[in-house]
Amino acid sequence: MPELKRLHADEAPAVLAFELANRAYFAASVSDRGDEYYDEFADRYSALLAEQEAGICAFYVLVAEDGSVLGRFNLYDFKDGTAELGYRVAQHVAGRGVATATVRELCGLAAARHGLRTLRAAAASNNVASQKVLTKAGFVPVGPADPADIGGKSGTWYQRDLAVQP
């Protein structure tokens, strides 16, 4: 059974393998991160761990029994009990409820472990799958997202009050 785990240094190779294996799949619905992201992955990964250690973000990976990464689920920009949520799942598990179940689990952790009261997430207009995940996980649309917030694409901000169960 997959396990949602806090991001740790020893998972870097599995996270990079996940990102590379799913790059084209992700680029179909969100902006591609570009070659520079992969070329500088070790430094970027270390920076994420430093942000997590500083308590301004929390990064999670969904790990399969074989140690492979099935998804990334990130809480970032903690401020006044609110954080933003970002996530991506591997193509081979997409459409099976994995993202929805994990976002729901992360909502519980966001409140219990991180003291958050509200989560926000932006979804591009063409990313219907992400919109469905957010809605099924109890998020509601709250207004338009600036294209700068979602890789230059138009979209919508969604929000969830963590005291309300979906």
Side-chain angles (χ1 to χ4, degrees), residues 91-100:
Q91 183 175 11
H92 72 279
V93 298
R96 298 182 183 176
V98 171
T100 301

Side-chain angles (χ1 to χ4, degrees), residues 2 18 22 25 62 69-71 89-99:
F18 162 80
N22 291 283
Y25 170 67
L62 185 64
V69 173
L70 300 176
V89 297
Q91 183 175 11
H92 72 279
V93 298
R96 298 182 183 176
V98 171

Side-chain angles (χ1 to χ4, degrees), residues 68-101:
S68 64
V69 173
L70 300 176
R72 295 181 66 180
F73 297 83
N74 304 322
L75 300 172
Y76 55 97
D77 294 342
F78 291 12
K79 185 177 180 183
D80 300 325
T82 299
E84 292 183 20
L85 165 70
Y87 57 90
R88 48 182 50 205
V89 297
Q91 183 175 11
H92 72 279
V93 298
R96 298 182 183 176
V98 171
T100 301

